[in-house]
Amino acid sequence: MTTEIKNKMSEKDGEHLDLGRLIGEIIDYRKLIIAVTMAFTVMAILYAIFATPIYQANALIQVEQKQGNAILNSLNQMLPDGQPQSAPEIALLQSRMILGKTVDDLNLQYHIEQEYLPVVGSGLARLLGEKSGTLDIAHLELHASNETSPVIKFTVVNNKKYRIEGENFTAEGQVGVKLDNAYLSILVNDIKASKGTVFTIQQYSRLTAIAKLQDMFNVTDQGKDTGILLLTVTGDDSELVRKILDNISENYLEQNVARQAAQNEKSLEFLNEQLPKVRQELDVAEDKLNTYRRQQDSVDLSLEAKAVLDQIVNIDNQLNQLTFKEAEISQLYTKEHPTFKALLEKRQVLQQERKKLNAKVSAMPSTQQEVLRLSRDVESGRAVYMQLLNRQQELSIAKSSAIGNVRIIDTAITQPAPVKPKKILVVLIGIVLGFLVSIAIVLFRVLLRRGIESPEQLEEIGVNVYASVPISEALTKNNKFNGTHKQQKTETLLAITDPADLAIEAIRGLRTSIHFAMMEARNNILMISGASPNAGKTFISTNLAAVISQTGKRILFIDADLRKGYVHEIFATKSKVGLSEYLSGGRDINEIIVTIENCGLDFIPRGQVPPNPAELLMHERFNNLIEQVKNKYDLVIIDTPPILAVTDATIVGRYAGTSLLVARFEENTVKEISVSIKRCEQAGITIKGCIINGVIRKASSYYSYGYSNYGYSYSDKK
């Protein structure tokens, strides 16, 4: 149970650690996040200011149920309630028939646009209050062009004259006068623009213009049962979109009236042809009935026969109505539709009832049967005639009114405020997008970063971390690194100039760790090297020597970097005579040792840069030097070149009892340290541990350990 609890606690701690580091990375890169977010916000604001406003015009149209259709309106029991034909009307509104007429009426095949400066010209002119020029072109046709959408340039000379430039021509014209040449034919009715204004005129094909209008035009149903349609047109010209929508509404209304009138006229022509025939058939039936009654001496029907006659006539009338209904329904539905099937079922029921009544009639006397037959013909014919006569009157009224089933409720009007761009929404999108992009950049940089960020990374591979030295604030300010946290080469010794610096405090802690680490060492020689250049090994070694010497220890510092050593600059000495001269046999050991008074230590500089530094370090003289100084001093610190760069450190490390590596925070990787240690082991050198230099106090590493996280500094506050 205890093990399970510990495991769970470990998992939770790991989760909290990951979340904390993620939040910490965001906090560490807050300047980057703010900068990127502000950049996107500024771009969004500029877009909201300079973007061309898009206006919207809207209108309301009601599609009513068709009037005068008594047959379909009488299907209350069999059919569902009549629904407004919104879907077909919407399709009709968006058809090329309606929109094509609008394109022709308003000359939408010609796209006229005033030229401005690129990108910001239009918005800048609008902000300055400049009104755009307008052209009224009544006719335009290009006679010869290889382009599908040719573009011509129209320049205003004055209010009455203009100049047109095309691909292969240049012409001048006057307002109100048709210009016709081999290239084009144009008629300009009016110009409202200042002198020198340039327009670009592009002619589209009729089909292209209709397609563009379809993209601008939208129809939506305002309710399932209302039959009210909302028409909208969007565009950058507020007056033009209103004209377009008004024209579409009028064209739709006109075609609806024309369609309704044509339908009523066709139906009326048919009824005018059929009514005389039906009337003639009715007269013949009445004559036959009267003649038979005279022949039979005024034969009257019994009460039973009258009742049967009424039933037969009623059924015949219903069958006739069903015939008309079937004709109307066949235009809307197929025979497999439930409505059509219900009508056929009702017809079958009525026919069965008629058969039963015919059976009753067959049982009557022959005289009564004949009277019933003739009376049925008369009554049925009279019902059909009256039905057709009523329909004729209805169609005559509908034709005379000719209003159709469409009416315009609200005429087109342009909204005063543009619908696009929505400035507040654009700015909010810019802020959110900038924040997301900045977060993505941060995560991308974190994923690509392979450098050491915490001592745990080195300890996982078995490397002891003796100290985490934070970045020196004093050196960072003095060196002015343009926002980067790097301790570059400096000619000052921080342990002397600013002993209270956090970096020196960490080095004092390193002093204690090295003391215990060297207790079991075979000698008092300490080699400090690094995996790569700019790790800060010279910074660590020089300040460590100064800190230890301040305790009264006798310290000798040897600059074994014969290639690029600059320790003499830090100690403010000359490097004319040094280690390279001794190893070459040109100088004695006492001649190369320099005493640094302000630090209280001895120093052997690099000397002149030799052509063969590795061969000199392998010479027996270097061994003699180590043997002479290790008994004379309490501690000998040797600064060497990076291990991965040259082999000098592996040569010096054989003489050192303790060897340490310096790793740069977030620059050196765990792999580099591991390879460096393996290279030393191959040379027979044991690396005691590692020093992490240049640690930056970061929110992402708050939960890590080290001097930078748990340390404290001196304060003047009491």
Side-chain angles (χ1 to χ4, degrees), residues 236-316:
D236 55 1
D237 192 338
S238 58
E239 183 63 22
L240 180 60
V241 295
R242 186 192 63 79
K243 290 181 179 179
I244 291 174
L245 192 55
D246 262 338
N247 190 271
I248 293 174
S249 302
E250 293 296 333
N251 292 338
Y252 175 64
L253 180 61
E254 291 176 2
Q255 71 81 30
N256 182 266
V257 173
R259 181 177 60 175
Q260 190 69 29
Q263 182 180 357
N264 293 335
E265 185 176 359
K266 292 291 184 181
S267 300
L268 192 59
E269 290 178 0
F270 175 77
L271 290 178
N272 291 333
E273 293 177 359
Q274 295 296 322
L275 273 174
K277 297 179 181 179
V278 175
R279 180 63 188 179
Q280 185 179 0
E281 293 176 357
L282 179 60
D283 293 340
V284 171
E286 289 179 347
D287 292 340
K288 287 181 179 181
L289 178 62
N290 294 330
T291 302
Y292 185 80
R293 281 181 172 178
R294 286 195 300 269
Q295 292 176 355
Q296 298 298 328
D297 195 16
S298 183
V299 176
D300 293 329
L301 294 174
S302 63
L303 294 176
E304 183 182 358
K306 288 183 179 181
V308 173
L309 176 62
D310 293 338
Q311 293 178 9
I312 293 174
V313 171
N314 185 26
I315 291 175
D316 288 341

Coordinates of all heavy atoms in Angstrom, one line a residue, residues 236-316:
D236 N -19.4 46.5 -52.0 CA -18.6 47.6 -51.5 C -19.3 49.0 -51.9 O -18.9 50.0 -51.4 CB -17.2 47.6 -51.9 CG -17.0 47.5 -53.4 OD1 -18.1 47.5 -54.1 OD2 -15.9 47.4 -53.9
D237 N -20.3 49.0 -52.8 CA -21.0 50.2 -53.2 C -22.4 50.1 -52.6 O -23.2 49.3 -53.0 CB -21.0 50.2 -54.7 CG -21.5 51.6 -55.2 OD1 -22.2 52.3 -54.4 OD2 -21.2 52.0 -56.4
S238 N -22.6 51.0 -51.6 CA -23.9 50.9 -50.9 C -25.1 51.3 -51.8 O -26.2 50.7 -51.7 CB -23.9 51.9 -49.7 OG -23.6 53.2 -50.2
E239 N -24.9 52.2 -52.8 CA -26.0 52.5 -53.7 C -26.3 51.5 -54.7 O -27.4 51.2 -55.1 CB -25.7 53.9 -54.4 CG -26.8 54.4 -55.3 CD -28.1 54.7 -54.5 OE1 -28.0 55.0 -53.3 OE2 -29.2 54.7 -55.1
L240 N -25.2 50.9 -55.2 CA -25.3 49.8 -56.2 C -26.0 48.6 -55.7 O -26.9 48.0 -56.4 CB -24.0 49.5 -56.8 CG -23.9 48.4 -57.9 CD1 -24.8 48.9 -59.1 CD2 -22.5 48.1 -58.3
V241 N -25.7 48.2 -54.5 CA -26.4 47.0 -53.9 C -27.9 47.2 -53.7 O -28.7 46.3 -53.9 CB -25.7 46.5 -52.6 CG1 -24.2 46.1 -52.8 CG2 -25.7 47.6 -51.5
R242 N -28.2 48.4 -53.4 CA -29.7 48.7 -53.3 C -30.4 48.7 -54.6 O -31.5 48.1 -54.7 CB -29.9 50.1 -52.6 CG -31.3 50.5 -52.3 CD -31.5 52.0 -52.0 NE -31.1 52.8 -53.2 CZ -31.9 53.0 -54.2 NH1 -33.1 52.5 -54.3 NH2 -31.5 53.8 -55.2
K243 N -29.7 49.2 -55.6 CA -30.3 49.2 -57.0 C -30.4 47.7 -57.5 O -31.4 47.3 -58.1 CB -29.5 50.0 -57.9 CG -29.5 51.5 -57.7 CD -28.7 52.2 -58.8 CE -28.7 53.7 -58.6 NZ -27.8 54.4 -59.6
I244 N -29.4 46.9 -57.2 CA -29.4 45.5 -57.6 C -30.6 44.8 -57.0 O -31.3 44.1 -57.6 CB -28.1 44.9 -57.3 CG1 -27.0 45.4 -58.2 CG2 -28.2 43.3 -57.5 CD1 -25.6 44.9 -57.8
L245 N -30.7 45.0 -55.7 CA -31.8 44.3 -54.9 C -33.2 44.7 -55.4 O -34.1 43.9 -55.5 CB -31.6 44.4 -53.4 CG -32.5 43.5 -52.5 CD1 -32.2 42.0 -52.9 CD2 -32.1 43.7 -51.1
D246 N -33.4 46.0 -55.6 CA -34.6 46.5 -56.1 C -35.0 45.9 -57.4 O -36.1 45.6 -57.7 CB -34.6 48.1 -56.2 CG -35.2 48.7 -54.9 OD1 -36.0 48.1 -54.3 OD2 -34.9 49.9 -54.7
N247 N -34.0 45.9 -58.3 CA -34.2 45.3 -59.6 C -34.5 43.8 -59.6 O -35.4 43.4 -60.3 CB -32.9 45.6 -60.5 CG -33.2 45.2 -62.0 OD1 -33.0 44.1 -62.4 ND2 -33.6 46.3 -62.7
I248 N -33.9 43.1 -58.7 CA -34.2 41.7 -58.6 C -35.6 41.5 -58.1 O -36.4 40.6 -58.6 CB -33.2 41.0 -57.6 CG1 -31.8 41.0 -58.3 CG2 -33.6 39.6 -57.3 CD1 -30.7 40.4 -57.3
S249 N -36.0 42.3 -57.1 CA -37.4 42.2 -56.6 C -38.4 42.5 -57.6 O -39.4 41.8 -57.8 CB -37.5 43.1 -55.4 OG -36.6 42.8 -54.4
E250 N -38.2 43.5 -58.4 CA -39.1 43.9 -59.4 C -39.2 42.9 -60.6 O -40.3 42.5 -61.0 CB -38.8 45.3 -60.0 CG -38.9 46.4 -59.0 CD -40.4 46.7 -58.6 OE1 -41.3 46.3 -59.4 OE2 -40.6 47.2 -57.5
N251 N -38.1 42.4 -61.0 CA -38.0 41.3 -62.0 C -38.7 40.1 -61.5 O -39.5 39.4 -62.3 CB -36.6 41.0 -62.4 CG -35.9 42.1 -63.1 OD1 -36.6 43.0 -63.7 ND2 -34.6 42.2 -63.1
Y252 N -38.5 39.7 -60.3 CA -39.2 38.5 -59.8 C -40.7 38.7 -59.7 O -41.5 37.8 -60.1 CB -38.7 38.2 -58.4 CG -39.4 37.1 -57.7 CD1 -39.3 35.8 -58.2 CD2 -40.1 37.3 -56.5 CE1 -40.0 34.7 -57.6 CE2 -40.7 36.2 -55.9 CZ -40.7 35.0 -56.4 OH -41.3 33.9 -55.8
L253 N -41.1 39.9 -59.3 CA -42.6 40.2 -59.2 C -43.2 40.2 -60.6 O -44.3 39.6 -60.8 CB -42.8 41.5 -58.5 CG -44.3 42.0 -58.4 CD1 -45.0 41.0 -57.5 CD2 -44.3 43.4 -57.7
E254 N -42.5 40.8 -61.6 CA -43.0 40.8 -62.9 C -43.2 39.5 -63.5 O -44.2 39.1 -64.2 CB -42.1 41.7 -63.8 CG -42.2 43.2 -63.4 CD -41.2 44.0 -64.3 OE1 -40.5 43.4 -65.1 OE2 -41.1 45.2 -64.0
Q255 N -42.2 38.6 -63.4 CA -42.3 37.3 -63.9 C -43.3 36.5 -63.3 O -44.0 35.6 -63.9 CB -40.9 36.6 -63.9 CG -40.4 36.1 -62.5 CD -41.0 34.8 -62.0 OE1 -41.3 34.0 -62.9 NE2 -41.2 34.7 -60.7
N256 N -43.5 36.7 -61.9 CA -44.6 35.9 -61.2 C -46.0 36.3 -61.7 O -46.8 35.5 -62.0 CB -44.5 36.2 -59.7 CG -45.5 35.4 -58.9 OD1 -46.6 35.9 -58.6 ND2 -45.2 34.2 -58.6
V257 N -46.2 37.6 -61.9 CA -47.5 38.1 -62.5 C -47.7 37.6 -63.9 O -48.8 37.1 -64.2 CB -47.5 39.6 -62.4 CG1 -48.8 40.1 -63.2 CG2 -47.5 40.1 -61.0
A258 N -46.6 37.6 -64.7 CA -46.7 37.1 -66.1 C -47.0 35.6 -66.1 O -47.8 35.2 -66.9 CB -45.5 37.5 -66.8
R259 N -46.3 34.9 -65.2 CA -46.5 33.5 -65.1 C -48.0 33.1 -64.7 O -48.6 32.3 -65.3 CB -45.5 32.9 -64.2 CG -45.6 31.3 -64.0 CD -44.6 30.8 -63.1 NE -44.7 31.4 -61.8 CZ -43.9 31.0 -60.7 NH1 -43.0 30.1 -60.9 NH2 -44.1 31.6 -59.6
Q260 N -48.5 33.8 -63.7 CA -49.8 33.6 -63.2 C -50.9 34.0 -64.3 O -51.8 33.2 -64.5 CB -50.1 34.4 -61.9 CG -51.3 34.0 -61.2 CD -51.3 32.7 -60.6 OE1 -50.2 32.2 -60.2 NE2 -52.4 32.0 -60.5
A261 N -50.7 35.1 -65.0 CA -51.6 35.5 -66.0 C -51.6 34.5 -67.1 O -52.7 34.2 -67.7 CB -51.2 36.9 -66.5
A262 N -50.4 34.0 -67.5 CA -50.3 33.1 -68.6 C -51.0 31.8 -68.3 O -51.8 31.2 -69.1 CB -48.9 32.8 -69.0
Q263 N -50.9 31.3 -67.0 CA -51.5 30.1 -66.6 C -53.0 30.2 -66.5 O -53.8 29.4 -67.0 CB -51.0 29.7 -65.2 CG -51.6 28.4 -64.6 CD -51.1 28.1 -63.2 OE1 -50.2 28.8 -62.7 NE2 -51.5 27.0 -62.6
N264 N -53.5 31.4 -66.0 CA -54.9 31.6 -66.0 C -55.5 31.7 -67.4 O -56.6 31.3 -67.7 CB -55.2 32.9 -65.2 CG -54.9 32.7 -63.7 OD1 -54.9 31.6 -63.2 ND2 -54.6 33.9 -63.0
E265 N -54.8 32.4 -68.3 CA -55.3 32.5 -69.7 C -55.4 31.2 -70.4 O -56.4 30.9 -71.1 CB -54.3 33.4 -70.4 CG -54.8 33.8 -71.9 CD -53.9 34.7 -72.6 OE1 -52.9 35.2 -71.9 OE2 -54.1 35.1 -73.7
K266 N -54.4 30.3 -70.2 CA -54.5 29.0 -70.8 C -55.7 28.2 -70.2 O -56.5 27.5 -71.0 CB -53.2 28.2 -70.5 CG -52.0 28.8 -71.3 CD -52.1 28.5 -72.8 CE -50.8 29.0 -73.5 NZ -50.9 28.8 -74.9
S267 N -55.9 28.2 -68.9 CA -57.0 27.5 -68.3 C -58.3 28.1 -68.8 O -59.3 27.4 -69.0 CB -56.9 27.6 -66.8 OG -55.7 27.0 -66.3
L268 N -58.4 29.4 -68.9 CA -59.6 30.1 -69.3 C -60.0 29.7 -70.8 O -61.2 29.5 -71.1 CB -59.5 31.6 -69.2 CG -60.8 32.4 -69.3 CD1 -61.9 32.0 -68.3 CD2 -60.5 33.9 -69.1
E269 N -59.0 29.6 -71.6 CA -59.2 29.2 -73.0 C -59.8 27.8 -73.1 O -60.7 27.5 -73.9 CB -57.9 29.3 -73.8 CG -57.4 30.7 -74.1 CD -56.1 30.7 -74.8 OE1 -55.6 29.6 -75.1 OE2 -55.6 31.8 -75.1
F270 N -59.3 26.9 -72.3 CA -59.8 25.5 -72.2 C -61.3 25.5 -71.7 O -62.1 24.8 -72.3 CB -58.9 24.7 -71.3 CG -59.4 23.3 -71.1 CD1 -59.2 22.3 -72.1 CD2 -60.0 22.9 -70.0 CE1 -59.7 21.0 -71.9 CE2 -60.5 21.6 -69.8 CZ -60.3 20.7 -70.8
L271 N -61.5 26.3 -70.7 CA -62.9 26.3 -70.2 C -63.9 26.9 -71.2 O -65.0 26.5 -71.3 CB -63.0 27.1 -68.9 CG -62.3 26.4 -67.7 CD1 -62.3 27.3 -66.4 CD2 -62.9 25.0 -67.4
N272 N -63.5 27.9 -71.9 CA -64.4 28.5 -72.9 C -64.7 27.5 -74.0 O -65.8 27.6 -74.6 CB -63.7 29.8 -73.5 CG -63.6 30.9 -72.4 OD1 -64.5 31.0 -71.5 ND2 -62.7 31.8 -72.6
E273 N -63.8 26.6 -74.3 CA -64.0 25.6 -75.3 C -64.9 24.5 -74.7 O -65.8 24.0 -75.5 CB -62.7 25.0 -75.8 CG -61.9 26.0 -76.6 CD -60.5 25.3 -76.9 OE1 -60.3 24.1 -76.6 OE2 -59.7 26.0 -77.6
Q274 N -64.8 24.2 -73.5 CA -65.5 23.0 -72.9 C -66.9 23.4 -72.4 O -67.8 22.6 -72.5 CB -64.7 22.4 -71.7 CG -63.4 21.8 -72.1 CD -63.6 20.6 -73.0 OE1 -64.5 19.8 -72.9 NE2 -62.7 20.5 -74.0
L275 N -67.1 24.6 -72.0 CA -68.5 25.0 -71.4 C -69.6 24.8 -72.4 O -70.7 24.3 -72.1 CB -68.4 26.4 -70.9 CG -67.9 26.6 -69.4 CD1 -67.8 28.0 -69.1 CD2 -68.9 25.9 -68.5
P276 N -69.5 25.3 -73.7 CA -70.6 25.0 -74.6 C -70.9 23.6 -74.8 O -72.1 23.2 -75.0 CB -70.1 25.7 -75.9 CG -69.1 26.7 -75.5 CD -68.4 26.1 -74.3
K277 N -69.8 22.7 -74.9 CA -70.0 21.3 -75.1 C -70.8 20.7 -73.9 O -71.7 19.9 -74.1 CB -68.7 20.6 -75.3 CG -67.9 21.0 -76.5 CD -66.6 20.3 -76.6 CE -65.8 20.7 -77.8 NZ -64.5 20.1 -77.9
V278 N -70.4 21.1 -72.7 CA -71.0 20.6 -71.5 C -72.5 21.1 -71.4 O -73.4 20.3 -71.1 CB -70.3 21.0 -70.2 CG1 -71.0 20.6 -69.0 CG2 -68.9 20.3 -70.2
R279 N -72.7 22.3 -71.8 CA -74.1 22.9 -71.8 C -74.9 22.2 -72.8 O -76.1 21.8 -72.6 CB -74.0 24.4 -72.1 CG -75.4 25.0 -72.2 CD -76.0 25.0 -70.8 NE -77.4 25.4 -70.9 CZ -78.3 25.5 -69.8 NH1 -77.8 25.0 -68.6 NH2 -79.5 25.9 -69.9
Q280 N -74.4 21.8 -74.0 CA -75.1 21.1 -75.0 C -75.5 19.7 -74.5 O -76.6 19.3 -74.7 CB -74.3 21.1 -76.3 CG -75.0 20.4 -77.5 CD -74.2 20.4 -78.7 OE1 -73.1 20.9 -78.7 NE2 -74.8 19.9 -79.8
E281 N -74.5 19.0 -73.9 CA -74.8 17.7 -73.4 C -75.9 17.8 -72.3 O -76.7 16.9 -72.2 CB -73.5 17.1 -72.8 CG -72.5 16.8 -73.9 CD -71.2 16.3 -73.3 OE1 -71.1 16.3 -72.0 OE2 -70.3 15.9 -74.0
L282 N -75.9 18.9 -71.5 CA -76.9 19.0 -70.4 C -78.3 19.2 -71.0 O -79.3 18.7 -70.6 CB -76.5 20.2 -69.5 CG -77.5 20.5 -68.4 CD1 -77.7 19.3 -67.4 CD2 -77.0 21.7 -67.6
D283 N -78.3 20.0 -72.1 CA -79.6 20.3 -72.7 C -80.2 19.0 -73.4 O -81.4 18.7 -73.3 CB -79.5 21.4 -73.8 CG -79.1 22.7 -73.2 OD1 -79.4 22.9 -72.0 OD2 -78.6 23.6 -73.9
V284 N -79.3 18.2 -74.0 CA -79.8 16.9 -74.6 C -80.3 16.0 -73.5 O -81.3 15.4 -73.7 CB -78.6 16.3 -75.3 CG1 -79.0 14.9 -75.8 CG2 -78.2 17.1 -76.5
A285 N -79.6 16.0 -72.3 CA -80.1 15.1 -71.2 C -81.4 15.6 -70.7 O -82.3 14.7 -70.4 CB -79.0 15.1 -70.1
E286 N -81.6 16.9 -70.6 CA -82.9 17.4 -70.1 C -84.0 17.1 -71.1 O -85.2 16.8 -70.7 CB -82.8 18.9 -69.8 CG -81.9 19.2 -68.6 CD -81.8 20.7 -68.4 OE1 -82.2 21.5 -69.4 OE2 -81.3 21.2 -67.3
D287 N -83.7 17.2 -72.4 CA -84.7 16.9 -73.4 C -85.1 15.5 -73.4 O -86.4 15.2 -73.5 CB -84.2 17.3 -74.8 CG -84.0 18.8 -75.0 OD1 -84.7 19.6 -74.2 OD2 -83.3 19.2 -75.9
K288 N -84.2 14.6 -73.2 CA -84.5 13.2 -73.1 C -85.4 12.9 -71.9 O -86.3 12.1 -72.1 CB -83.2 12.4 -73.1 CG -82.4 12.3 -74.4 CD -81.2 11.4 -74.2 CE -80.4 11.3 -75.5 NZ -79.2 10.5 -75.3
L289 N -85.1 13.5 -70.8 CA -85.9 13.3 -69.6 C -87.3 13.8 -69.8 O -88.3 13.1 -69.5 CB -85.2 14.0 -68.4 CG -86.0 13.8 -67.1 CD1 -86.1 12.4 -66.7 CD2 -85.3 14.6 -66.0
N290 N -87.4 15.0 -70.3 CA -88.8 15.6 -70.6 C -89.6 14.8 -71.6 O -90.8 14.6 -71.4 CB -88.6 17.0 -71.0 CG -88.1 17.9 -69.9 OD1 -88.3 17.6 -68.7 ND2 -87.4 19.0 -70.3
T291 N -88.9 14.3 -72.6 CA -89.6 13.5 -73.7 C -90.1 12.2 -73.1 O -91.2 11.8 -73.3 CB -88.6 13.3 -74.8 OG1 -88.2 14.5 -75.4 CG2 -89.3 12.4 -75.9
Y292 N -89.2 11.6 -72.3 CA -89.7 10.3 -71.7 C -90.8 10.5 -70.7 O -91.7 9.7 -70.7 CB -88.5 9.7 -71.0 CG -88.8 8.3 -70.4 CD1 -88.8 7.2 -71.3 CD2 -89.1 8.1 -69.1 CE1 -89.1 5.9 -70.8 CE2 -89.4 6.9 -68.6 CZ -89.4 5.8 -69.4 OH -89.7 4.5 -68.9
R293 N -90.8 11.6 -70.0 CA -91.9 11.8 -69.1 C -93.2 12.1 -69.8 O -94.3 11.7 -69.4 CB -91.6 13.0 -68.2 CG -90.7 12.6 -67.0 CD -90.4 13.8 -66.1 NE -89.6 13.4 -64.9 CZ -89.2 14.2 -64.0 NH1 -89.4 15.5 -64.1 NH2 -88.6 13.7 -62.9
R294 N -93.1 12.8 -70.9 CA -94.3 13.0 -71.7 C -94.9 11.7 -72.3 O -96.1 11.5 -72.4 CB -94.1 14.0 -72.8 CG -93.9 15.5 -72.3 CD -94.0 16.5 -73.5 NE -93.0 16.3 -74.4 CZ -91.8 16.8 -74.4 NH1 -91.5 17.7 -73.4 NH2 -90.9 16.6 -75.4
Q295 N -93.9 10.9 -72.7 CA -94.3 9.6 -73.3 C -95.0 8.8 -72.3 O -96.0 8.0 -72.6 CB -93.2 8.9 -73.9 CG -92.6 9.6 -75.2 CD -91.4 8.9 -75.7 OE1 -90.9 8.0 -75.1 NE2 -90.9 9.4 -76.9
Q296 N -94.5 8.8 -71.1 CA -95.0 8.0 -70.0 C -96.1 8.7 -69.2 O -96.4 8.2 -68.1 CB -93.9 7.5 -69.1 CG -92.8 6.7 -69.8 CD -93.4 5.4 -70.3 OE1 -94.3 4.8 -69.7 NE2 -92.8 4.9 -71.5
D297 N -96.5 9.8 -69.7 CA -97.6 10.5 -69.0 C -97.2 11.0 -67.6 O -97.8 10.6 -66.6 CB -98.9 9.7 -69.0 CG -100.1 10.6 -68.6 OD1 -100.0 11.8 -68.7 OD2 -101.1 10.0 -68.2
S298 N -96.1 11.8 -67.6 CA -95.6 12.4 -66.3 C -95.4 11.4 -65.2 O -96.0 11.4 -64.2 CB -96.6 13.5 -65.9 OG -96.1 14.2 -64.8
V299 N -94.4 10.6 -65.5 CA -94.0 9.6 -64.5 C -93.2 10.3 -63.4 O -92.2 10.9 -63.6 CB -93.2 8.4 -65.1 CG1 -92.7 7.5 -64.0 CG2 -94.1 7.7 -66.1
D300 N -93.6 10.1 -62.1 CA -92.9 10.7 -61.0 C -92.1 9.6 -60.2 O -92.5 8.4 -60.2 CB -93.8 11.4 -60.0 CG -94.5 12.6 -60.6 OD1 -93.8 13.2 -61.5 OD2 -95.6 12.9 -60.3
L301 N -91.1 9.9 -59.5 CA -90.3 9.0 -58.8 C -90.8 8.8 -57.4 O -91.4 9.8 -56.8 CB -88.8 9.5 -58.7 CG -88.0 9.5 -60.0 CD1 -86.7 10.2 -59.7 CD2 -87.9 8.1 -60.6
S302 N -90.7 7.6 -56.9 CA -91.1 7.4 -55.5 C -90.1 8.0 -54.5 O -89.0 8.4 -55.0 CB -91.2 5.9 -55.3 OG -90.0 5.2 -55.5
L303 N -90.5 8.0 -53.3 CA -89.5 8.5 -52.3 C -88.2 7.7 -52.2 O -87.1 8.3 -52.1 CB -90.2 8.5 -50.9 CG -91.4 9.5 -50.7 CD1 -92.0 9.3 -49.4 CD2 -91.0 10.9 -51.0
E304 N -88.4 6.4 -52.3 CA -87.2 5.5 -52.3 C -86.3 5.8 -53.5 O -85.1 5.9 -53.4 CB -87.6 4.1 -52.3 CG -86.4 3.1 -52.2 CD -86.9 1.6 -52.3 OE1 -88.1 1.4 -52.3 OE2 -85.9 0.8 -52.2
A305 N -86.9 6.0 -54.7 CA -86.2 6.3 -55.9 C -85.5 7.6 -55.8 O -84.3 7.8 -56.3 CB -87.1 6.2 -57.1
K306 N -86.2 8.6 -55.3 CA -85.6 9.9 -55.1 C -84.3 9.9 -54.2 O -83.3 10.5 -54.5 CB -86.6 10.9 -54.6 CG -87.6 11.3 -55.6 CD -88.6 12.4 -54.9 CE -89.6 12.8 -56.0 NZ -90.5 13.9 -55.4
A307 N -84.5 9.1 -53.1 CA -83.3 9.0 -52.2 C -82.1 8.3 -52.9 O -81.0 8.7 -52.8 CB -83.7 8.2 -51.0
V308 N -82.4 7.2 -53.7 CA -81.4 6.6 -54.4 C -80.8 7.5 -55.5 O -79.5 7.5 -55.7 CB -81.9 5.3 -55.1 CG1 -80.9 4.7 -56.0 CG2 -82.3 4.3 -54.1
L309 N -81.6 8.3 -56.1 CA -81.1 9.3 -57.1 C -80.2 10.3 -56.5 O -79.1 10.6 -57.1 CB -82.3 10.0 -57.8 CG -81.9 11.1 -58.8 CD1 -81.1 10.5 -60.0 CD2 -83.2 11.8 -59.3
D310 N -80.6 10.8 -55.3 CA -79.7 11.8 -54.6 C -78.4 11.2 -54.3 O -77.3 11.8 -54.5 CB -80.4 12.3 -53.4 CG -81.6 13.1 -53.7 OD1 -81.7 13.6 -54.8 OD2 -82.5 13.2 -52.8
Q311 N -78.4 9.9 -53.9 CA -77.1 9.2 -53.5 C -76.3 9.0 -54.8 O -75.0 9.2 -54.7 CB -77.4 7.9 -52.8 CG -78.1 8.0 -51.5 CD -78.4 6.7 -50.8 OE1 -77.9 5.7 -51.3 NE2 -79.1 6.7 -49.7
I312 N -76.9 8.6 -55.9 CA -76.1 8.4 -57.1 C -75.5 9.7 -57.6 O -74.4 9.7 -58.0 CB -77.0 7.7 -58.1 CG1 -77.4 6.3 -57.7 CG2 -76.3 7.7 -59.5 CD1 -78.4 5.6 -58.6
V313 N -76.3 10.8 -57.6 CA -75.8 12.1 -58.1 C -74.7 12.5 -57.2 O -73.7 13.1 -57.7 CB -77.0 13.1 -58.1 CG1 -76.4 14.5 -58.4 CG2 -78.0 12.7 -59.2
N314 N -74.8 12.4 -55.9 CA -73.8 12.8 -54.9 C -72.5 12.0 -55.2 O -71.4 12.6 -55.2 CB -74.2 12.5 -53.5 CG -73.2 13.1 -52.5 OD1 -72.5 14.0 -52.7 ND2 -73.3 12.5 -51.3
I315 N -72.6 10.7 -55.4 CA -71.4 9.9 -55.7 C -70.8 10.3 -57.0 O -69.6 10.4 -57.1 CB -71.7 8.4 -55.7 CG1 -72.1 8.0 -54.2 CG2 -70.6 7.6 -56.2 CD1 -72.5 6.5 -54.1
D316 N -71.6 10.6 -58.0 CA -71.1 11.0 -59.3 C -70.4 12.3 -59.2 O -69.3 12.5 -59.8 CB -72.2 11.1 -60.4 CG -72.7 9.7 -60.8 OD1 -72.0 8.7 -60.6 OD2 -73.9 9.7 -61.3

